[in-house]
Amino acid sequence: MDIIFATHNLNKAEEVSAILGSQYHIKNLREIGCPEIPETADTLQGNALQKAQYVFDHYNVNCFADDTGLEVEALDGRPGVYSARYAGEGCSYQDNVMKMLDEMRGVTNRKACFKTVVALILDGKKYFFEGRVDGEIMTEQHGTDGFGYDPIFKPLGFRQTYAEMSALSKNTISHRARAMQQLKMFLEEYTK
Ligand code: IMP
């Protein structure tokens, strides 16, 4: 089956192709020459659907998109859907990490979760899948691998932060992997 993954991020595209397996021929937005798609919704589901809908409307193909947020309990679920620009428009991953460490200084409730929502448009119909990983926000950075909030997020039941894990380990247990596994199971049933 041919399917478009609405991302320009080649690392993500590779990670997701590996999860879904070779029975799907997945193309990313670079490969089809699609420009950046705005993400202006105020929910993860809204943003994921906005990207998938754009691809469907412009290219009329089966497609899926994802959106991820980090929800921190003591911050009433922030930064959530605004995780990419938590420290301001155009900020770096490190800016976001520093701001989070700052806001969480002295806070004892460190519970947080990563959520990924996938929106799929298949034969014109919409479907949603969610992957969630609970964990905690560290008081300082640990590890150098990965990206985003990886150095300060430790998943429940693990002794390492995402940034201390190998890419393979993280990509097996991550929020995005869980959402994509659900997508994979759905596609397998659908195409049976
Ligand atoms: P996106 O929806 O995948 O672009 O994710 C939005 C933002 O969430 C990113 O800019 C990162 O700051 C953060 N993020 C997403 N996935 C991860 C992850 O696996 N580890 C750490 N941070 C992430």
Side-chain angles (χ1 to χ4, degrees):
M1 176 196 280
D2 283 348
I3 192 159
I4 307 289
F5 177 24
T7 185
H8 284 96
N9 181 327
L10 297 181
N11 292 325
K12 244 197 213 182
E14 217 170 277
E15 178 189 322
V16 167
S17 292
I19 292 171
L20 293 185
S22 54
Q23 69 265 45
Y24 304 103
H25 186 225
I26 302 165
K27 281 193 182 160
N28 62 59
L29 296 184
R30 288 172 195 255
E31 290 172 291
I32 60 167
C34 178
E36 279 301 333
I37 304 171
E39 294 179 36
T40 54
D42 56 9
T43 60
L44 298 176
Q45 179 164 333
N47 274 339
L49 181 60
Q50 192 174 7
K51 289 184 275 186
Q53 191 73 53
Y54 181 99
V55 173
F56 183 73
D57 290 346
H58 288 76
Y59 299 88
N60 195 25
V61 284
N62 290 328
C63 57
F64 64 95
D66 72 337
D67 199 38
T68 295
L70 174 66
E71 297 181 0
V72 179
E73 198 171 278
L75 303 180
D76 296 324
R78 282 190 299 119
V81 70
Y82 305 109
S83 294
R85 48 207 149 110
Y86 172 49
E89 218 52 66
C91 65
S92 67
Y93 289 142
Q94 193 57 25
D95 294 336
N96 284 336
V97 165
M98 296 312 289
K99 177 166 177 181
M100 179 62 71
L101 289 175
D102 231 38
E103 262 209 285
M104 291 294 285
R105 185 156 300 126
V107 176
T108 45
N109 175 7
R110 319 246 359 141
K111 285 186 196 157
C113 74
F114 262 115
K115 273 186 197 161
T116 295
V117 173
V118 172
L120 166 72
I121 303 184
L122 190 58
D123 297 330
K125 278 200 184 145
K126 296 168 196 155
Y127 306 89
F128 295 93
F129 309 93
E130 187 178 303
R132 173 188 174 130
V133 170
D134 288 288
E136 63 183 89
I137 302 295
M138 308 301 280
T139 52
E140 52 192 43
Q141 300 189 56
H142 297 271
T144 51
D145 283 352
F147 70 100
Y149 299 90
D150 280 354
I152 54 168
F153 183 81
K154 186 169 78 63
L156 211 67
F158 290 83
R159 288 161 54 159
Q160 297 170 308
T161 64
Y162 270 167
E164 292 175 299
M165 297 177 174
S166 67
L168 187 64
S169 303
K170 180 193 162 191
N171 293 341
T172 308
I173 61 132
S174 80
H175 42 287
R176 195 164 19 262
R178 287 184 181 179
M180 294 299 168
Q181 288 292 356
Q182 305 231 12
L183 170 67
K184 182 183 183 178
M185 285 193 300
F186 177 85
L187 289 174
E188 280 171 358
E189 266 310 302
Y190 192 89
T191 52
K192 242 184 199 170

